[in-house]
Amino acid sequence: MRTAWIAGPLLLCLALSSFFGIGLIRSASPTYDEPVHLAAGYTDLVQGRYRLNAMDHPPLGEMWAALPLLGMSLDRFAAHPAWIDAAVYHYGDLFLYHNRISSDVLLAASRSWSLLTWTLLVAWFLMVWSARLEGPPGAWGAAVALGCCVPWFSNAALITTDAPSAALFFAACALFAIPGRSRRTYMLGGTIVGAALAAKFNMILLPPLIVFSLIVDPRAEDARRNRWPRIALAVAVAVVALAAAYRFAYFDLYFRGLSATLSRLAQGRGAYLLGNHSTTGWLWYYPAAVLVKTPLALLLLSGWGLWKAVRQPRGEAAWLLIPPLGYAAVALFSKTQIGYRHVLPIYPFICLWAGLGVADLWRRANPGRALACAMGVWAAVSVAMNHPQHLSYFNEIARGRSEQWLSDSNLDWGQDLPTLARELAARGNPPFVLCYFGSGDPAAYGLRYVPLGILATVTRSGNAVLERGAPVLFAVSETNLVGTYMRDPAVFDWLRSRTPAAIPGGSIWLYDLTQDREGRARLAAMLASLGRLGDADVVGRF
């Protein structure tokens, strides 16, 4: 394989991902868990005690995201009660919004670093693998697929543990898929597996998937007499790498955190799909989410490429199919279904399959090449139409009806406070009623709001009162609108028959109830039930 075969596709992939991802970074307030991830990563780096978030996530992805902050001389608030009591969400809010440097700068630095580094890792292994299988057409096809893969870059552009684990999952599989594996390959592969385990607890699935793929792969260079000693070597290296991420002294935290996470997952959590609610989930949740959250052109190309992958020689097919399909099969039975990001590890494989599909079309001369180019343009246009609100992207199957399909991190993760602020600024920035789902601080974006049933990680008491004679505006996050986590899921059904004045960012529904007598009465009753009697009186007087 020539290096020149991957240089151009790699640059194209990085350019597309960076353009779309940076647009998202600049437009989005912190998503639900980003303040905690950022604060935990920074304090883990500078203090090394893994004090804040170890029971929910391993530390590697969080520490990696916080690396750009090390030279900023940030306040750690060591004497604050939130730190002393390990109140993780309150401390995350304090760290992000009350530090020496603005929240926008902190988020932009960490998000941009995460987007660039994890995309570079995935893109490198993706280009190498696709070029090895199908030459330049496969590499170029995979490059466009990843560059226009909204699920990938919209998550890689955030401070979470999803993209780091997905990137390391794919890198490990790509490395072990190389024919002629040496002891060095096993050692490097073991290191990557250990890093994946240190990035997210769901990576506990990676070692058995790799071992099974190694067993299925019959290629001669992995003769049976060499295979098991080398697998044992890779396992030992992975354990050392995982322990190193915990500075060895805190290695027990991994097993405690894994146990706590598995216990939570077994309990289930509120989920929403196509107007239905569940706490145990559906077998078809993730297939449905992938169907509507992935550009259709990418799905079609990857479907064709998947068929080509099945027809590959047995050893190659094992690596193209077993890790992603095995991971997806386990995910189907999860009781915690809050976002398709939990199947993010399959997306680099979807892009790889798309590259196989493009290469097959390219071999069919002019008609096939024209179709391949048209599919690439379709994918890019579909993504660009929603720029920069990529977290709320839905493809043509569900576009315009997204609230009927999914909620939570699939489209509404608290990211659209800046977009809401611009919408209200255009209306004179009046005080309004806000039912927000997320961890952002509305006041930090200049919003003058009265809180109503805010589902946030910290208490938000509001910063305004409603004014007589002013418009009566009510903004509600989509996750709250459909009642995903509400005690009564139908609490806002009365809004569903009303047309919103705007949907800022695609995740917050803004209603103008000024001339709506019934709507004002309902909103006034809800405010009164929360003790906001003065605001209720203003709203109720028509």
Side-chain angles (χ1 to χ4, degrees):
M1 183 188 67
R2 300 173 183 174
T3 305
W5 286 4
I6 66 172
L10 183 64
L11 290 175
L12 174 63
C13 178
L14 291 175
L16 287 171
S17 296
S18 297
F19 172 76
F20 290 132
I22 290 174
L24 168 63
I25 288 169
R26 290 176 174 174
S27 68
S29 49
T31 55
Y32 209 88
D33 294 320
E34 280 189 286
V36 170
H37 288 312
L38 192 60
Y42 182 80
T43 55
D44 288 349
L45 284 172
V46 300
Q47 190 185 37
R49 290 178 55 194
Y50 308 99
R51 191 164 185 271
L52 286 181
N53 208 28
M55 293 299 101
D56 291 328
H57 296 274
L60 182 64
E62 296 174 329
M63 291 193 297
W64 185 264
L67 282 174
L69 309 187
L70 289 181
M72 296 185 180
S73 299
L74 298 176
D75 194 337
R76 195 167 58 79
F77 303 101
H80 195 280
W83 170 258
I84 295 171
D85 298 335
V88 292
Y89 284 103
H90 287 83
Y91 182 80
D93 183 75
L94 177 72
F95 181 85
L96 181 62
Y97 283 112
H98 301 278
N99 226 304
R100 295 188 177 104
I101 297 177
S102 74
S103 60
D104 289 342
V105 172
L106 297 180
L107 286 173
S110 294
R111 285 171 166 178
S112 300
W113 167 252
S114 296
L115 172 66
L116 176 62
T117 53
W118 297 121
T119 299
L120 180 60
L121 179 64
V122 170
W124 171 263
F125 280 101
L126 179 62
M127 298 305 102
V128 170
W129 198 349
S130 55
R132 176 169 64 80
L133 293 177
E134 294 290 354
W140 283 102
V144 174
L146 185 63
C148 295
C149 184
V150 183
W152 170 256
F153 65 72
S154 66
N155 283 279
L158 301 176
I159 306 162
T160 71
T161 57
D162 300 306
S165 57
L168 292 164
F169 183 101
F170 183 74
C173 295
L175 187 65
F176 279 112
I178 298 173
R181 290 175 288 263
S182 64
R183 285 174 58 88
R184 183 178 179 181
T185 303
Y186 277 86
M187 292 181 68
L188 180 56
T191 302
I192 296 175
V193 170
L197 291 168
K200 195 174 179 71
F201 288 122
N202 64 354
M203 289 295 101
I204 197 67
L205 296 175
L206 178 57
L209 289 171
I210 285 184
V211 171
F212 184 51
S213 300
L214 286 168
I215 293 171
V216 172
D217 185 349
R219 288 178 284 195
E221 56 270 19
D222 259 344
R224 187 179 299 275
R225 60 187 175 84
N226 291 326
R227 183 181 300 157
W228 287 107
R230 292 183 177 184
I231 290 175
L233 174 64
V235 170
V237 172
V239 171
V240 172
L242 175 59
Y246 283 90
R247 291 177 170 87
F248 297 101
Y250 299 97
F251 191 23
D252 65 303
L253 284 178
Y254 176 78
F255 302 99
R256 291 164 53 193
L258 177 62
S259 176
T261 298
L262 293 176
S263 177
R264 287 194 303 273
L265 293 176
Q267 295 172 8
R269 186 171 172 178
Y272 173 82
L273 177 63
L274 283 172
N276 299 302
H277 295 82
S278 174
T279 56
T280 56
W282 304 267
L283 283 174
W284 47 286
Y285 178 89
Y286 288 115
V290 170
L291 176 65
V292 296
K293 291 292 292 182
T294 311
L296 272 180
L298 177 53
L299 285 178
L300 293 171
L301 286 172
S302 65
W304 182 247
L306 178 59
W307 171 244
K308 304 304 293 184
V310 171
R311 300 169 67 87
Q312 291 278 339
R314 178 179 164 190
E316 202 69 66
W319 295 102
L320 289 168
L321 301 174
I322 291 174
L325 297 183
Y327 182 93
V330 174
L332 294 178
F333 297 92
S334 172
K335 293 182 179 179
T336 301
Q337 298 179 343
I338 58 175
Y340 76 114
R341 61 190 174 89
H342 287 166
V343 293
L344 194 63
I346 73 172
Y347 273 97
F349 289 92
I350 288 176
C351 295
L352 179 59
W353 300 337
L356 299 181
V358 168
D360 185 70
L361 290 174
W362 205 257
R363 284 193 292 268
R364 299 171 185 268
N366 290 338
R369 294 181 179 186
L371 178 58
C373 292
M375 298 289 272
V377 171
W378 178 16
V381 170
S382 178
V383 175
M385 286 177 62
N386 214 55
H387 185 71
Q389 279 79 43
H390 297 293
L391 286 177
S392 59
Y393 171 86
F394 280 79
N395 65 27
E396 290 78 1
I397 293 176
R399 187 169 293 163
R401 298 176 291 112
S402 58
E403 81 288 351
Q404 299 176 19
W405 280 82
L406 298 159
S407 66
D408 205 305
S409 60
N410 294 292
L411 75 105
D412 172 29
W413 217 0
Q415 75 273 11
D416 280 324
L417 290 178
T419 314
L420 176 62
R422 288 193 294 273
E423 175 67 32
L424 287 167
R427 298 169 179 269
N429 198 28
F432 70 106
V433 181
L434 175 63
C435 184
Y436 172 61
F437 173 79
S439 63
D441 182 358
Y445 303 92
L447 291 166
R448 303 168 59 207
Y449 72 102
V450 171
L452 174 68
I454 287 182
L455 294 184
T457 51
V458 296
T459 302
R460 303 290 186 196
S461 57
N463 62 352
V465 294
L466 299 181
E467 301 170 355
R468 296 189 186 279
V472 177
L473 301 176
F474 180 35
V476 55
S477 295
E478 187 270 353
T479 300
N480 296 341
L481 179 67
V482 300
T484 304
Y485 300 116
M486 294 294 186
R487 187 171 300 174
D488 175 11
V491 64
F492 289 122
D493 279 2
W494 59 277
L495 285 170
R496 306 300 288 276
S497 62
R498 291 166 167 80
T499 301
I503 310 177
S507 75
I508 300 178
W509 292 52
L510 179 64
Y511 293 89
D512 187 344
L513 303 177
T514 307
Q515 301 302 320
D516 185 343
R517 182 187 296 272
E518 180 190 0
R520 290 180 67 148
R522 287 181 175 271
L523 183 59
M526 298 178 79
L527 288 167
S529 70
L530 295 175
R532 310 278 312 200
L533 300 181
D535 294 315
D537 182 63
V538 170
V539 171
R541 292 195 181 189
F542 187 75

